[in-house]
Amino acid sequence: MTKGTALITGASSGIGAVYAERLAQRGFDLVVVARDIDRLNALSRRLSNDNGIAITPISADLANTADLGRVLAKVENEESLTLLVNCAGVGPKGPLLGSGTESLDQMVQLNVEVLHSLTVTAAKTFAARGRGAIINIASVVALMPERFNPSYVASKAFVLAMTQALSAELEPHGVQIQAVLPGFTRTELFDRAGIDINVIPPEMIMEAADMVDAALAGFDRREVITIPSLEDVRLWDEMERARTSLAPYLSLRHAAARYADGRSA
Ligand SMILES: NC(=O)c1ccc[n+]([C@@H]2O[C@H](COP(=O)([O-])OP(=O)(O)OC[C@H]3O[C@@H](n4cnc5c(N)ncnc54)[C@H](OP(=O)(O)O)[C@@H]3O)[C@@H](O)[C@H]2O)c1
């Protein structure tokens, strides 16, 4: 029995490389996407030898329109595709005010626009087939906007909102979607951003393998949102209850009484 094919972006290192390994062990064939083709080829050789699965490495700079187009075409046309893992992403090099606008724009392009295009394409393709699943790597910073670079926080809040909203639309079509919210996870992300991971308290850093194993356990339970380090899941449930309890008051004909003084005479 084949599980079909999983396409993983950002599979050359870190969280994406662990997903590749775990999904290969689960019997998925793989399409692995990143810029570094040497690392993708090495990963593909190792995982196909160890697991007897088929792996197609695709060298693509997802920020490049033509490269992204090739990957979108693969998502649309690969009949065996049953899972998309959106893992490619970059972190910020520091606070917003000290960052170049161009580098922030590039981060938002990869973390938001690329993920959006791939998610929309996979959602439509899978919904038409009545099966499939999407895993989007967000971040806990989506829940702590005051503490990190605003552009990065907003990019991950986009992933969370997109996933939550799309889950409702996809469910009747038999398509599963999950947002994973990792905390600090030991990967190359910090080196790439020029940040010394040793300044972060070690008790706050999870190993990438532990993070992905927890996220896949959440996926198996069909969680829409998975926060790997959150012990007491009632805290999340309470937050969701508080959020949804706002619903009856968010769109009404009249402004709230406390704004009545602002009306011009
Ligand atoms: N590490 C953490 O603490 C942490 C916490 C929360 C969320 N996350 C999220 O987890 C995801 C994976 O990051 P990671 O921590 O595993 O970091 P990583 O080891 O740096 O992995 C990033 C991956 O994205 C790929 N990538 C970067 N730019 C790309 C581009 N333009 N086109 C195609 N692929 C590109 C990289 O491959 P190439 O360089 O070969 O292209 C690499 O495979 C990201 O979305 C990140 O925001 C990480």
Side-chain angles (χ1 to χ4, degrees):
M1 282 287 285
T2 173
K3 297 235 172 150
T5 301
L7 187 148
I8 307 166
T9 69
S12 64
S13 69
I15 293 168
V18 177
Y19 266 105
E21 185 167 318
R22 294 300 192 258
L23 294 174
Q25 288 163 352
R26 285 179 175 218
F28 282 88
D29 290 327
L30 298 180
V31 177
V32 287
V33 179
R35 292 166 301 184
D36 189 332
I37 190 64
D38 292 340
R39 291 178 95 176
L40 290 181
N41 283 336
L43 179 82
S44 301
R45 273 193 300 275
R46 180 169 66 82
L47 295 185
S48 62
N49 283 342
D50 290 355
N51 303 284
I53 54 151
I55 309 194
T56 309
I58 297 184
S59 167
D61 179 350
L62 293 168
N64 173 288
T65 309
D67 284 9
L68 175 60
R70 283 191 292 122
V71 179
L72 289 171
K74 190 79 180 164
V75 171
E76 226 175 335
N77 302 323
E78 175 64 61
E79 289 291 331
S80 67
L81 198 76
T82 52
L83 176 62
L84 167 70
V85 184
N86 276 310
C87 203
V90 285
K93 291 187 167 40
L96 180 146
L97 293 179
S99 304
T101 307
E102 201 182 332
S103 79
L104 295 173
D105 285 345
Q106 283 166 357
M107 181 172 67
V108 170
Q109 187 192 354
L110 183 65
N111 293 6
V112 175
E113 291 174 32
V114 166
L115 179 138
H116 180 257
S117 298
L118 286 162
T119 301
V120 169
T121 302
K124 290 183 176 184
T125 307
F126 292 157
R129 291 184 196 150
R131 72 182 284 228
I134 301 168
I135 297 173
N136 286 333
I137 307 302
S139 166
V140 290
V141 301
L143 305 176
M144 299 186 293
E146 302 83 1
R147 299 226 198 142
F148 291 91
N149 176 296
S151 304
Y152 185 68
V153 164
S155 77
K156 295 303 181 179
F158 176 91
V159 179
L160 175 59
M162 176 83 193
T163 305
Q164 274 185 307
L166 191 51
S167 135
E169 224 182 293
L170 286 178
E171 209 198 341
H173 296 278
V175 179
Q176 184 185 354
I177 187 165
Q178 177 199 29
V180 177
L181 277 61
F184 290 123
T185 309
R186 194 180 308 283
T187 69
E188 293 174 18
L189 182 115
F190 300 94
D191 271 356
R192 292 179 198 253
I195 295 166
D196 180 6
I197 196 169
N198 297 312
V199 301
I200 301 164
E203 65 274 15
M204 293 182 76
I205 305 173
M206 196 178 285
E207 298 303 320
D210 294 339
M211 202 294 288
V212 172
D213 286 340
L216 281 171
F219 180 77
D220 293 340
R221 289 178 193 181
R222 303 188 77 82
E223 288 182 355
V224 177
I225 309 297
T226 297
I227 306 174
S229 65
L230 182 65
E231 187 61 45
D232 186 354
V233 78
R234 287 172 306 180
L235 292 173
W236 169 261
D237 294 339
E238 277 167 27
M239 198 189 82
E240 282 296 273
R241 257 195 302 280
R243 183 178 68 77
T244 49
S245 70
L246 288 172
Y249 315 109
L250 294 180
S251 182
L252 295 171
R253 189 210 286 229
H254 301 292
R258 70 183 176 286
Y259 300 123
D261 289 350
R263 229 177 282 141
S264 56

